[in-house]
């Protein structure tokens, strides 16, 4: 039996990954782990450090520099063989020979090769991304145990990519324990007399925020004007700059407002001040947007595609992303029909009930870790 566990949170930086890391640490019960010693390894992140301190977790901080990360990836586990490394999301350390490895995989694009995930890049940059994806695929596949967020991805990995069925698990997403109704009001300067649709996500072409101006145009042409899309994009990002420039040229500043990145602990407050959440990404493994919308009892608009339908079931309004007129009609119907809005919210709550709560989710991770700690290597 392995006596020491390392919880590797180093690949996690921000966004949904950070939200999941926060939830993991807040709901982790060390007494349920069958190890003599458990050590958490994190980036230099004040939020995660505070949680570790508050819960008396032993932890190690890796500086947020390229060379510090590279040193960690190559050298840290060289003299720590016969331990276990649990990576919540991302890739396991480059050098981890002699240790048992359990890796959470959220790289959905690795399992949808027909989708050109990097189509927006130049040939050179696309080649670099594909090399990184090849490394990620090999890294994840070489893990002793792989944990996916959805049954769909687990099934694809096993049936289409020859992942071991015995060593591939599914731990479904839960809403974060810090996302809950009734938090103290925070003023985001949001107009209350209109239908506010929140796109909670970072600046990335996969999120397809760049399609919003054309969607807004279709909505205006359909007679809608009392609405606004709220974005949470970093204005320093080039993709954001291009989008904001497009919004300005089309004179849509009153219909699309960028609030900038939002602190994880303020997410619930922002959702509560919105009327709906939207996610029109090309591809996701899963999205916190789903469970957050259901938890906060808001309508969820999402891409009409296999990956979204598998996770959302009847708990969302699906949008044909290539038909802006259809999208406008779907949003219009939701805005104008209280009955449809209410029934959609109720279906979302029912869908959320099919997912684990925060403690149940972390306990599933713990059970997988404990069970594999007792498996002898061949």
């Amino acid at each position: 039996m392995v006596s020491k566990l390392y919880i590797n949170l180093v690949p996690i930086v921000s966004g949904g990954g950070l939200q999941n890391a926060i939830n993991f640490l807040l709901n982790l019960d060390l007494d349920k782990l069958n190890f003599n010693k458990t050590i958490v390894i994190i980036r230099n992140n004040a939020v995660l450090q505070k949680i570790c301190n508050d819960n008396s977790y032993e932890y190690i901080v890796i500086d947020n520099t390229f060379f510090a990360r590279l040193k960690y990836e190559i050298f840290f586990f060289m003299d720590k063989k016969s331990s276990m490394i649990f990576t919540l999301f991302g890739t396991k350390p480059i050098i981890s020979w002699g240790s048992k490895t359990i890796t959470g995989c959220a790289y959905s694009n690795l399992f949808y090769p027909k989708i050109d995930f990097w189509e927006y890049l130049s040939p050179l940059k696309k080649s670099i991304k594909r090399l990184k994806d090849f490394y990620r695929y090999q890294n994840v596949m070489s893990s002793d145990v792989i944990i996916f967020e959805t049954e769909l991805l687990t099934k694809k990995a096993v049936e289409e990519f020859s992942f071991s069925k015995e060593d591939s698990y599914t731990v479904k997403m839960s809403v974060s324990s810090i996302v809950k109704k009734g938090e103290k009001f925070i003023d985001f300067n949001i107009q209350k007399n209109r239908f506010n649709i929140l796109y909670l996500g970072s600046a990335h072409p996969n999120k397809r925020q760049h399609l919003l101006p054309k969607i807004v145009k279709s909505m205006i042409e359909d007679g809608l004007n009392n609405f606004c899309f709220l974005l949470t994009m970093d204005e320093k990002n080039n993709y954001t700059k291009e989008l904001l420039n497009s919004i300005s040229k089309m004179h849509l500043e009153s219909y699309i407002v960028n609030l900038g990145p939002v602190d994880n602990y303020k997410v619930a407050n922002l959702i509560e001040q919105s009327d709906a959440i939207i996610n029109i990404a090309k591809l996701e493994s899963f999205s916190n947007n789903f469970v957050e919308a259901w938890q906060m009892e808001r309508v969820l608009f999402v891409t009409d595609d296999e990956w979204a339908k598998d996770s959302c079931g009847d708990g969302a309004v699906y949008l044909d992303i290539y038909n802006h007129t259809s999208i406008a009609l779907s949003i219009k119907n939701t805005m104008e029909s209280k009955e449809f809005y209410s029934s959609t919210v109720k279906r979302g709550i029912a869908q959320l009930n099919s997912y684990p709560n925060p403690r149940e989710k972390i306990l599933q991770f713990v059970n997988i870790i404990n069970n594999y700690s007792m498996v002898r290597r061949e």
Side-chain angles (χ1 to χ4, degrees):
M1 178 177 168
V2 180
S3 62
K4 187 177 290 187
L5 169 68
Y6 291 93
I7 298 174
N8 175 34
L9 302 180
V10 174
I12 295 171
V13 180
S14 60
L18 180 57
Q19 189 82 310
N20 280 289
I22 291 171
N23 189 59
F24 181 88
L25 292 178
L26 286 175
N27 291 281
L28 179 63
D29 184 350
L30 293 182
D31 291 336
K32 294 188 182 301
L33 286 165
N34 296 336
F35 296 86
N36 295 332
K37 195 169 191 177
T38 298
I39 301 173
V40 181
I41 312 176
I42 59 176
R43 293 276 190 105
N44 193 355
N45 179 288
V47 174
L48 296 184
Q49 287 184 57
K50 184 179 185 305
I51 296 173
C52 287
N53 286 324
D54 290 347
N55 291 275
S56 300
Y57 298 150
E58 183 175 347
Y59 68 98
I60 296 170
V61 177
I62 306 301
D63 285 341
N64 297 326
T65 64
F66 172 78
F67 290 107
R69 173 73 183 274
L70 187 63
K71 180 181 178 182
Y72 164 74
E73 293 282 341
I74 295 175
F75 298 108
F76 186 86
F77 288 99
M78 275 191 169
D79 60 348
K80 297 175 180 64
K81 303 190 187 302
S82 300
S83 58
M84 178 173 287
I85 307 169
F86 169 68
T87 302
L88 182 62
F89 285 120
T91 52
K92 63 184 176 69
I94 294 173
I95 303 299
S96 53
W97 303 322
S99 296
K100 291 183 176 182
T101 55
I102 300 177
T103 303
C105 179
Y107 297 124
S108 55
N109 62 305
L110 302 182
F111 304 97
Y112 285 86
K114 292 182 180 179
I115 294 179
D116 190 358
F117 194 76
W118 307 112
E119 65 176 342
Y120 59 92
L121 294 175
S122 66
L124 176 60
K125 289 183 178 179
K126 184 183 289 189
S127 297
I128 293 172
K129 286 291 187 182
R130 286 178 173 170
L131 280 173
K132 289 182 178 178
D133 282 343
F134 177 76
Y135 165 71
R136 287 169 174 166
Y137 178 83
Q138 295 298 326
N139 180 288
V140 170
M141 196 172 190
S142 64
S143 297
D144 295 301
V145 172
I146 303 98
I147 302 175
F148 297 94
E149 295 178 296
T150 66
E151 295 284 1
L152 177 64
L153 274 186
T154 306
K155 183 178 180 181
K156 288 179 74 70
V158 171
E159 296 183 358
E160 300 177 29
F161 294 86
S162 302
F163 278 58
S164 166
K165 184 176 181 179
E166 292 73 23
D167 298 324
S168 299
Y169 294 82
T170 304
V171 173
K172 289 186 177 182
M173 183 65 71
S174 74
V175 69
S176 173
S177 55
I178 65 173
V179 176
K180 51 191 176 184
K181 298 181 74 174
E183 294 293 290
K184 185 178 179 181
F185 179 79
I186 299 171
D187 189 3
F188 288 98
N189 197 29
I190 298 171
Q191 290 188 32
K192 305 298 189 296
N193 59 344
R194 58 186 180 181
F195 193 85
N196 290 300
I197 306 170
L198 174 63
Y199 199 150
L200 190 62
S202 60
H204 196 291
N206 175 60
K207 299 289 187 180
R208 298 197 289 202
Q209 291 104 327
H210 60 273
L211 298 179
L212 289 176
K214 290 184 179 179
I215 293 173
V216 167
K217 278 291 187 183
S218 293
M219 292 174 68
I220 294 172
E221 291 170 2
D222 203 36
L224 293 175
N225 55 44
N226 194 30
F227 68 90
C228 183
F229 286 92
L230 305 174
L231 310 181
T232 59
M233 303 166 69
D234 183 357
E235 294 196 1
K236 296 178 182 178
N237 184 283
N238 288 332
Y239 177 63
T240 306
K241 291 177 182 178
E242 291 175 8
L243 173 60
L244 294 179
N245 185 49
S246 175
I247 292 169
S248 177
K249 286 183 177 180
M250 296 173 70
H251 307 291
L252 299 176
E253 295 93 337
S254 62
Y255 294 99
I256 307 175
V257 175
N258 184 42
L259 303 174
V262 178
D263 181 273
N264 292 83
Y265 282 86
K266 297 179 181 178
V267 164
N269 213 294
L270 178 56
I271 296 173
E272 200 158 19
Q273 295 178 51
S274 306
D275 299 287
I277 288 183
I278 189 170
N279 183 325
I280 51 174
K282 175 183 286 189
L283 181 64
E284 301 257 29
S285 168
F286 190 87
S287 173
N288 286 329
N289 296 160
F290 303 165
V291 288
E292 289 168 348
W294 301 330
Q295 171 74 5
M296 302 302 294
E297 300 183 8
R298 295 296 184 264
V299 164
L300 172 65
F301 296 112
V302 69
T303 307
D304 186 0
D305 213 334
E306 175 192 48
W307 62 268
K309 288 181 175 179
D310 178 71
S311 296
C312 299
D314 294 328
V317 177
Y318 294 99
L319 305 179
D320 180 356
I321 205 64
Y322 301 105
N323 188 334
H324 298 151
T325 302
S326 172
I327 292 175
L329 287 173
S330 294
I331 296 177
K332 180 180 181 180
N333 183 44
T334 307
M335 289 174 59
E336 296 181 347
S337 173
K338 291 184 179 179
E339 183 179 350
F340 180 75
Y341 185 98
S342 177
S343 64
T344 303
V345 167
K346 288 179 181 177
R347 291 195 299 273
I349 294 171
Q351 188 70 12
L352 179 63
N353 289 334
S354 70
Y355 283 81
N357 64 42
R359 289 193 178 278
E360 289 171 342
K361 175 188 175 183
I362 306 312
L363 185 58
Q364 289 179 36
F365 281 129
V366 168
N367 289 337
I368 293 171
I369 293 168
N370 284 341
N371 289 339
Y372 195 69
S373 71
M374 296 181 286
V375 175
R376 290 185 177 274
R377 287 180 171 274
E378 295 182 359

